[in-house]
Amino acid sequence: MRLELLSPGEMNESQRQTYDESIAGKRGKPPAPMMAWLNSPEMARHATRLGEVLRFDTIFPAKLSEIAILVTARHWTAHYEWYAHKRLALAGGMKPEIIEAIRDRRTPDFDDPKGKMIHDLAKSLHEGHGVEKGLYDDAVKLLGERGVVEVIGLCGYYTLVSMTLNTFEFSLPDGEVSELA
């Protein structure tokens, strides 16, 4: 770990307010990258609020939103993010085969056309740096404009998370080994 994380007793007033707000939210605890973001308390406050919206208040159930998150974690080879969200994806009902395919950089076989569309959008955003017209039109038809916006938001926010976790070299919990090569 490249950064010494502050304990609540070491935080200044602004950092502590952000920390307290995060544990009072739907997560019940601060998200790991927020502990690094606390070096910029206002950024931490806004990023954490955005993350809570994207985790809990999109139009997608967990097994769909976690597709975009896992594609993002894999794109960035974000070991901690993969570890955390693989568990959430499984708990949300995602099939292990889908997770394994994303891990191995293969296109999964989806039963749900929305799952495939979210996967394809996320891959296009990360690998193509945008979305070509045909995919965009199909995505709007299937997911609606709000759905497309929320997939972009998931990919963008979890890119910030992945970059933070990778830059500061957040470690996996003791005894855990990364699945990502």
Side-chain angles (χ1 to χ4, degrees), residues 106-180:
R106 293 181 286 110
T107 300
D109 292 322
F110 289 99
D111 296 334
D112 183 347
K114 288 183 179 181
K116 179 171 177 15
M117 182 57 69
I118 291 168
H119 175 270
D120 293 352
L121 274 175
K123 293 285 281 186
S124 181
L125 287 165
H126 289 299
E127 294 174 5
H129 308 284
V131 179
E132 59 90 28
K133 183 174 176 13
L135 178 59
Y136 172 82
D137 291 343
D138 291 344
V140 169
K141 283 180 196 167
L142 187 59
L143 304 175
E145 289 176 340
R146 177 179 172 177
V148 172
V149 166
E150 289 179 350
V151 171
I152 294 166
L154 285 161
C155 291
Y157 173 77
Y158 284 98
T159 290
L160 171 63
V161 168
S162 295
M163 288 178 161
T164 301
L165 297 171
N166 285 353
T167 298
F168 295 112
E169 297 179 346
F170 275 68
S171 300
L172 296 178
D174 287 339
E176 296 294 333
V177 178
S178 179
E179 296 181 3
L180 304 180

Side-chain angles (χ1 to χ4, degrees), residues 1-180:
M1 179 73 144
R2 291 180 165 167
L3 183 69
E4 189 165 326
L5 302 181
L6 301 173
S7 69
E10 298 171 310
M11 295 175 189
N12 66 36
E13 184 178 333
S14 183
Q15 291 167 328
R16 184 60 194 234
Q17 287 174 349
T18 299
Y19 178 85
D20 288 345
E21 182 180 309
S22 75
I23 61 176
K26 292 180 181 179
R27 286 184 183 98
K29 62 181 182 176
M34 189 203 74
M35 298 306 292
W37 299 337
L38 282 173
N39 286 285
S40 176
E42 278 303 303
M43 182 193 135
R45 181 173 288 118
H46 292 290
T48 302
R49 287 175 181 167
L50 176 60
E52 187 171 293
V53 168
L54 291 167
R55 259 296 292 294
F56 301 106
D57 297 324
T58 69
I59 62 172
F60 304 117
K63 75 177 187 177
L64 292 180
S65 61
E66 291 294 338
I67 293 167
I69 297 167
L70 289 176
V71 167
T72 302
R74 187 62 189 110
H75 176 78
W76 289 99
T77 311
H79 303 281
Y80 188 94
E81 194 62 15
W82 182 268
Y83 163 79
H85 282 274
K86 175 186 176 184
R87 295 178 326 146
L88 293 170
L90 289 168
M94 189 183 298
K95 293 180 180 179
E97 305 82 49
I98 292 173
I99 296 168
E100 291 166 11
I102 294 170
R103 179 197 64 211
D104 297 342
R105 300 183 190 272
R106 293 181 286 110
T107 300
D109 292 322
F110 289 99
D111 296 334
D112 183 347
K114 288 183 179 181
K116 179 171 177 15
M117 182 57 69
I118 291 168
H119 175 270
D120 293 352
L121 274 175
K123 293 285 281 186
S124 181
L125 287 165
H126 289 299
E127 294 174 5
H129 308 284
V131 179
E132 59 90 28
K133 183 174 176 13
L135 178 59
Y136 172 82
D137 291 343
D138 291 344
V140 169
K141 283 180 196 167
L142 187 59
L143 304 175
E145 289 176 340
R146 177 179 172 177
V148 172
V149 166
E150 289 179 350
V151 171
I152 294 166
L154 285 161
C155 291
Y157 173 77
Y158 284 98
T159 290
L160 171 63
V161 168
S162 295
M163 288 178 161
T164 301
L165 297 171
N166 285 353
T167 298
F168 295 112
E169 297 179 346
F170 275 68
S171 300
L172 296 178
D174 287 339
E176 296 294 333
V177 178
S178 179
E179 296 181 3
L180 304 180

